[in-house]
Amino acid sequence: MVPAYLDIGIQSRMNRIINPKDNRVVMLAIDHPYFQGPTTGLRNMSKTIKTLLPYCDCLMTTRGAVRSNIAPEDVGSKPIMLRVTGGNSVLNEELSDEKITVTIQEAIRMDAAGVAISVYIGSANQQQTILNLTDMINQAEECGIPVLAVTAVGKNMARDLRYLALASRICQDAGARIIKTYYCEEFSRVVDSVSPTAVVVAGGKYSSPPDALQMAYHSVQAGAAGVDFGRNIFQDDNPIGMIKAISSIVHGNHTVKEALDIYNACLPGASRLD
Ligand code: 5RP
């Protein structure tokens, strides 16, 4: 049913990010250097993008990465979820000290499909990061650009249902159109607590193909719109096999075993990314 009034700009970009045919998305997170610097798998960012771009639905990355590392012929081939907060580094004890780093005009100029902001609930900079989110939502919504809120988890926070539901709900109430959070036990309760806002799941540190695929499987079974995985894809020995396997779970409702078969079929000739 067509609603009486559609926010066309927002809906158009949401449709580029999350496939409207199945309401699912495989987003590839490659924004790590904004606070980690050189990152295994992203040292040769151009190669990583060239290798994995065909298999993701959307690329979550930074202004510098878009400008410097997407081959001219690939520009526009996949929607960009542009990270627009930063200002911290791994050398800081407190990672939450982030501010908005990219203007909405720049996001428009770069044809971003959406903009991503980290929020650190319970941290020393909680208010600052929530106001980063609300300020950007105020500007981005005027321009028809959806905002993705990342529930970043500080060192002292537990990645459990109570915390993630709290953080996700605060992001939804601020007006985020998509929420990126972490998987936890009883994850469907996190998804339910922000329904109907779309939820994508971060992968976290590199684990193993079966563990990462299990996480993707349980996330979508719990109602997530998909994943926004990074290290579990680009740090794997078989990155193309991994992203294809994840996509088969997210878009094809494959089981973990079926997805592992896809992963294994890509193993011969697979090579690591620098
Ligand atoms: C950090 C981020 C990163 O993009 C994301 O969480 C990293 O992805 P992964 O954990 O799967 O490597 O938003 O706040």
Side-chain angles (χ1 to χ4, degrees):
M1 197 174 85
V2 179
Y5 171 77
L6 256 185
D7 193 331
I8 294 293
I10 293 275
Q11 192 60 49
S12 163
R13 290 185 176 87
M14 287 294 285
N15 286 354
R16 288 166 65 195
I17 300 164
I18 299 176
N19 190 331
K21 291 195 182 118
D22 60 3
N23 287 317
R24 296 266 175 92
V25 59
V26 175
M27 205 180 286
L28 177 65
I30 53 163
D31 58 333
H32 307 58
Y34 91 93
F35 76 108
Q36 282 188 198
T39 302
T40 304
L42 300 181
R43 290 203 171 86
N44 186 342
M45 185 72 103
S46 308
K47 184 177 169 200
T48 299
I49 292 175
K50 194 78 187 165
T51 304
L52 296 175
L53 199 62
Y55 308 102
C56 71
D57 301 316
C58 179
L59 200 60
M60 181 197 186
T61 190
T62 57
R63 165 168 57 185
V66 172
R67 280 192 183 151
S68 314
N69 298 300
I70 300 187
E73 67 274 16
D74 293 332
V75 170
S77 66
K78 292 289 163 78
I80 301 294
M81 177 59 68
L82 188 66
R83 170 170 281 284
V84 294
T85 55
N88 53 357
S89 89
V90 280
L91 299 183
N92 297 128
E93 188 53 34
E94 181 59 61
L95 278 182
S96 62
D97 195 7
E98 288 198 359
K99 291 210 168 144
I100 292 173
T101 51
V102 180
T103 63
I104 195 65
Q105 287 78 13
E106 179 81 330
I108 295 166
R109 198 160 74 92
M110 295 181 79
D111 192 28
V115 292
I117 303 248
S118 288
V119 174
Y120 294 78
I121 301 301
S123 74
N125 296 292
Q126 169 178 284
Q127 186 187 59
Q128 175 181 312
T129 61
I130 294 176
L131 294 182
N132 288 342
L133 176 63
T134 51
D135 284 353
M136 185 47 75
I137 288 171
N138 290 338
Q139 296 172 53
E141 289 271 329
E142 284 226 341
C143 305
I145 298 184
V147 175
L148 177 152
V150 181
T151 67
V153 183
K155 284 179 186 152
N156 300 323
M157 303 295 156
R159 290 184 190 186
D160 60 13
L161 168 63
R162 187 166 168 274
Y163 177 79
L164 297 173
L166 170 77
S168 298
R169 186 58 196 256
I170 288 171
C171 292
Q172 185 200 38
D173 274 58
R177 298 277 182 165
I178 307 173
I179 294 163
K180 171 174 174 174
T181 192
Y182 289 88
Y183 184 77
C184 64
E185 279 185 23
E186 298 185 76
F187 188 66
S188 62
R189 292 179 61 190
V190 177
V191 177
D192 290 347
S193 73
V194 296
S195 176
T197 304
V199 173
V200 292
V201 174
K205 276 188 189 151
Y206 180 79
S207 53
S208 70
D211 286 352
L213 294 174
Q214 290 265 11
M215 190 195 288
Y217 179 80
H218 290 303
S219 299
V220 293
Q221 291 297 314
V227 299
D228 186 15
F229 280 10
R231 288 163 288 181
N232 276 291
I233 295 172
F234 63 71
Q235 292 183 345
D236 194 80
D237 288 342
N238 178 13
I240 292 179
M242 196 60 190
I243 197 166
K244 280 185 168 179
I246 288 170
S247 192
S248 79
I249 288 172
V250 171
H251 290 300
N253 288 314
H254 279 36
T255 62
V256 173
K257 187 186 169 311
E258 288 167 336
L260 269 173
D261 289 344
I262 290 173
Y263 176 89
N264 288 328
C266 298
L267 258 181
S271 64
R272 283 184 69 84
L273 293 161
D274 314 325

